[in-house]
Amino acid sequence: MKRLLMLLICICLSVGLVPVAALGAPLWPTDVSIQADGGVLMDADTGTILYGKNENQPYYPASITKMLTALIVLEHCSLDEMVSFSHDDVYNVEAGSSSAGIDEGDVLTVRDCLYALMLASANESANALACHVAGSREAFAQLMNEKASSLGCTGSHFTNPSGLNDEDHYTTAYDMALIARAVFQNPLALEICSTKRAFIPATVNNPEGVSCSIEHQLVKNNENPDSEYYFPAAKAGKTGWTSQAGQTLVTYAEKDGRRLVAVTLKSTEKTHYSDTMTILDFAFKRFKNARVRDNEIEYVTGTEPVLIDGTAYEPSELMFDEAAVITLPEDARFTDAEKSLETKLPQKHPKGAVARLNYIYNEREI
């Protein structure tokens, strides 16, 4: 018995002496895929890329281009301005392309033109709005490229406001996500992109008016559990298609306070919606957002002054942006992220900001 007891103690001691490796931060989830040639899933609050496939490869965008058109129009016009439709606006489009039936000589408000643009994907409305804002489609295209560049896009070039085929008109999934994020952060743009049906008032050529319905099936059916496209989190978006671009799709989804942007490029007719639902489900289940103010203690606690860019601050003088969050894998801890302090702030920084914290997780900006 003594020998058995001694052996048992030795085994216990031996096990206790074996070093145990510390568990590292969980790996970034990657167990998802799409059939589209290219795509991106972005957290709309942090800009974190949760999933990407050929995200920096140029593709033809087709009518999701109109999201950038709408954003620029809203930044340059009031909704009640009147827009006149010229012969060129109406007829300088590809035969059989999307239209709301607006004709030469018709006059509509910017608001009605935007609903025709985003719900019916009306190319004549894209042309008329572009000319109303910039005087010509060419001048408007310059505004488009300038706006895209200001949003951080580096792989895009736009030549027209509608997205009709042009070899010099292209974007990437990542760039399109940046554009869509800016669109959905604009309250008016989000309202228009989430509207399921709008009525355009009577004009000279349409005395009974025109009814427009959203083409995006996930948004259209987000309250219909009997539909194969039922996805309650889908709140807004835009479709696109040309023979060269294939199916293109942008989707804004919101669930439990989290906001996501999904982009798929060059899909087939049967896969762009299923791809989008797949990656959105993946993101809602496998990631979370953590509020910085509730988790970060450095700089804002303690009694010693904090030196930032040569200026000493008392910790009680400093606070974090209440809305700031970082995106993490669901099973990760806030402290798994690495942070660095940046004192050279962007031009459009929040009022009163003295520094910016950048967070990295597994070599990804979060």
Side-chain angles (χ1 to χ4, degrees):
M1 177 64 74
K2 287 182 179 180
R3 190 173 295 174
L4 180 61
L5 182 61
M6 198 65 151
L7 179 61
L8 183 60
I9 292 172
C10 288
I11 292 173
C12 292
L13 287 173
S14 298
V15 171
L17 291 173
V18 174
V20 178
L23 296 177
L27 295 177
W28 194 264
T30 58
D31 52 330
V32 72
S33 62
I34 59 175
Q35 297 180 65
D37 276 15
V40 148
L41 184 64
M42 175 185 284
D43 185 282
D45 291 311
T46 65
T48 304
I49 299 301
L50 308 180
Y51 169 80
K53 178 182 179 182
N54 297 326
E55 61 265 39
N56 294 312
Q57 180 174 322
Y59 292 94
Y60 297 126
S63 284
I64 59 175
T65 296
K66 295 180 173 95
M67 299 188 71
L68 179 57
T69 298
L71 182 62
I72 293 171
V73 170
L74 286 169
E75 290 178 347
H76 286 77
C77 303
S78 72
L79 293 178
D80 294 326
E81 290 180 28
M82 304 306 294
V83 178
S84 299
F85 284 73
S86 69
H87 179 87
D88 188 62
D89 293 336
V90 174
Y91 294 102
N92 195 338
V93 297
E94 293 179 13
S97 62
S98 298
S99 169
I102 306 168
D103 208 345
E104 177 183 358
D106 282 341
V107 180
L108 294 170
T109 64
V110 166
R111 177 187 287 103
D112 291 329
C113 290
L114 286 171
Y115 279 114
L117 179 79
M118 300 307 294
L119 272 61
S121 204
N123 292 317
E124 73 273 24
S125 188
N127 288 341
L129 285 167
C131 292
H132 178 78
V133 170
S136 69
R137 289 190 297 277
E138 293 75 19
F140 189 82
Q142 183 174 344
L143 292 179
M144 296 174 76
N145 290 313
E146 290 172 358
K147 182 62 180 179
S149 179
S150 74
L151 294 174
C153 301
T154 59
S156 300
H157 186 263
F158 300 97
T159 62
N160 65 71
S162 61
L164 291 176
N165 290 327
D166 186 315
E167 63 180 11
D168 290 325
H169 187 99
Y170 52 83
T171 191
T172 68
Y174 176 69
D175 284 0
M176 200 64 227
L178 290 175
I179 293 167
R181 182 189 185 199
V183 169
F184 297 133
Q185 287 174 338
N186 183 300
L188 286 174
L190 178 58
E191 178 183 341
I192 291 168
C193 292
S194 61
T195 299
K196 295 182 181 181
R197 183 180 292 274
F199 183 76
I200 298 175
T203 63
V204 172
N205 296 291
N206 288 292
E208 296 182 359
V210 177
S211 181
C212 299
S213 298
I214 194 166
E215 298 175 334
H216 195 305
Q217 292 298 315
L218 300 186
V219 181
K220 186 176 183 177
N221 291 283
N222 62 7
E223 297 178 353
N224 180 13
D226 295 326
S227 170
E228 63 177 308
Y229 301 115
Y230 177 60
F231 198 84
K235 304 301 182 183
K238 183 73 185 78
T239 59
W241 181 88
T242 67
S243 56
Q244 295 181 23
Q247 296 286 349
T248 62
L249 189 68
V250 174
T251 307
Y252 170 77
E254 186 174 341
K255 181 180 179 182
D256 299 330
R258 291 188 57 210
R259 289 166 282 274
L260 304 175
V261 173
V263 177
T264 57
L265 298 175
K266 204 171 178 61
S267 300
T268 68
E269 178 69 37
K270 297 184 181 298
T271 63
H272 56 314
Y273 289 118
S274 59
D275 277 345
T276 296
M277 288 188 282
T278 295
I279 56 177
L280 286 172
D281 266 334
F282 162 76
F284 282 126
K285 291 176 181 176
R286 302 299 302 278
F287 294 91
K288 64 185 178 184
N289 280 356
R291 192 176 302 278
V292 175
R293 193 170 183 176
D294 295 341
N295 292 277
E296 185 61 71
I297 61 173
E298 193 173 359
Y299 307 111
V300 297
T301 59
T303 58
E304 296 298 318
V306 177
L307 192 65
I308 297 179
D309 202 23
T311 302
Y313 297 92
E314 294 298 325
S316 59
E317 295 180 285
L318 299 173
M319 65 182 65
F320 296 112
D321 178 0
E322 188 171 348
V325 294
I326 63 173
T327 302
L328 294 163
E330 178 60 38
D331 51 353
R333 299 167 300 178
F334 187 91
T335 52
D336 290 331
E338 301 175 11
K339 67 175 179 289
S340 60
L341 190 72
E342 177 185 349
T343 56
K344 186 178 180 181
L345 298 177
Q347 186 175 4
K348 295 183 179 180
H349 60 74
K351 184 179 180 180
V354 297
R356 170 188 170 95
L357 278 178
N358 294 317
Y359 289 85
I360 303 292
Y361 187 95
N362 286 172
E363 301 181 354
R364 295 171 179 262
E365 293 185 2
I366 58 169

